[in-house]
Amino acid sequence: SQTIHQWPATLVQPVGSPLSLECTVEGTSNPNLYWYRQAAGRGLQLLFYSVGIGQISSEVPQNLSASRPQDRQFILSSKKLLLSDSGFYLCAWSTLGEDTEAFFGQGTRLTVV
Amino acid sequence: GEDVEQSLFLSVREGDSSVINCTYTDSSSTYLYWYKQEPGAGLQLLTYIFSNMDMKQDQRLTVLLNKKDKHLSLRIADTQTGDSAIYFCAEGVSGTYKYIFGTGTRLKVLA
């Protein structure tokens, strides 16, 4: 069966520090991969999605970047965190093909102080 | 642009029915989804509906789709305290692999 792992679960980082959140999927190959951010009262905002290794689409201009070094690994990064980067970050995957559901990780609560 | 809207809060009494509403913008979406988020956790798929359907029932859940008005609703019958959570509707954007989510509706069930 397919599983998605996201870590860490919680993170407190000072302003200006770097960030690296990792997400891996098991039990499937060539998944579509996504990073979403959930901010209070703002729902889920799609940050990045990837349909293959090295293929990253950015949805909103921001202080973050994403990389997909391996087929089932998706990394969210920042060189210098801002206070506004605080939020709940969710990784998700779906199978190739448009009409399928997305499966979510358990999320990372990031607090920038 | 792509936008999915929901009301932010809903409060019901245990045993009553809950109806959560959603409007979306992409008229060519093939599938529309309802997800549930427990506190501090990821999202779990509750149900989905294919765009050529008007209604789908799955145990206590009933999904109604009005494609003309781009309106989607989720009805939970006999709402229980364990149903308290945030509910998101989402559309798959046709021609892409993107999912656009609504703001989420926080359902509070009163005992």
Side-chain angles (χ1 to χ4, degrees):
Chain A
S1 64
Q2 301 93 354
T3 56
I4 178 169
H5 301 281
Q6 188 181 340
W7 68 92
T10 59
L11 192 59
V12 180
Q13 292 284 99
V15 168
S17 63
L19 173 74
S20 181
L21 302 182
E22 189 162 344
C23 173
T24 59
V25 180
E26 296 177 359
T28 187
S29 59
N30 198 25
N32 301 321
L33 295 170
Y34 308 84
W35 278 111
Y36 285 86
R37 176 169 58 202
Q38 183 178 16
R42 294 185 60 187
L44 251 60
Q45 182 182 37
L46 179 61
L47 301 176
F48 302 95
Y49 70 99
S50 171
V51 300
I53 295 174
Q55 300 179 58
I56 309 293
S57 297
S58 175
E59 287 297 293
V60 292
Q62 59 200 302
N63 184 40
L64 302 167
S65 61
S67 61
R68 185 170 178 173
Q70 300 180 45
D71 180 44
R72 290 169 290 174
Q73 184 184 27
F74 206 25
I75 297 172
L76 183 69
S77 304
S78 173
K79 291 182 179 177
K80 288 186 179 182
L81 284 169
L82 306 172
L83 286 173
S84 58
D85 292 324
S86 294
F88 192 53
Y89 290 83
L90 288 154
C91 180
W93 72 274
S94 68
T95 56
L96 198 63
E98 294 176 22
D99 301 331
T100 61
E101 67 192 81
F103 300 89
F104 283 81
Q106 289 300 298
T108 297
R109 171 74 59 193
L110 172 65
T111 304
V112 182
V113 296
Chain B
E2 305 135 357
D3 198 13
V4 180
E5 295 186 356
Q6 300 176 239
S7 53
L8 291 180
F9 299 101
L10 177 66
S11 181
V12 300
R13 294 203 175 276
E14 191 173 21
D16 289 349
S17 293
S18 309
V19 179
I20 303 171
N21 295 302
C22 170
T23 56
Y24 60 96
T25 56
D26 187 350
S27 59
S28 57
S29 291
T30 308
Y31 281 98
L32 295 145
Y33 308 86
W34 283 104
Y35 282 83
K36 177 182 180 182
Q37 184 183 33
E38 305 275 0
L43 275 66
Q44 291 190 317
L45 181 72
L46 278 179
T47 187
Y48 63 90
I49 189 167
F50 190 50
S51 60
N52 69 352
M53 299 169 65
D54 298 323
M55 185 184 83
K56 179 180 179 181
Q57 187 151 4
D58 184 0
Q59 299 182 333
R60 291 192 296 123
L61 305 178
T62 303
V63 179
L64 295 178
L65 176 60
N66 181 329
K67 200 171 180 182
K68 175 176 171 289
D69 295 337
K70 300 178 192 172
H71 183 264
L72 184 71
S73 68
L74 174 69
R75 179 178 181 270
I76 306 173
D78 187 25
T79 313
Q80 302 298 307
T81 54
D83 294 324
S84 293
I86 300 176
Y87 291 81
F88 290 91
C89 66
E91 60 173 342
V93 180
S94 57
T96 77
Y97 299 102
K98 299 191 296 185
Y99 301 85
I100 302 299
F101 284 79
T103 51
T105 299
R106 185 179 294 274
L107 173 65
K108 184 174 182 179
V109 182
L110 305 172

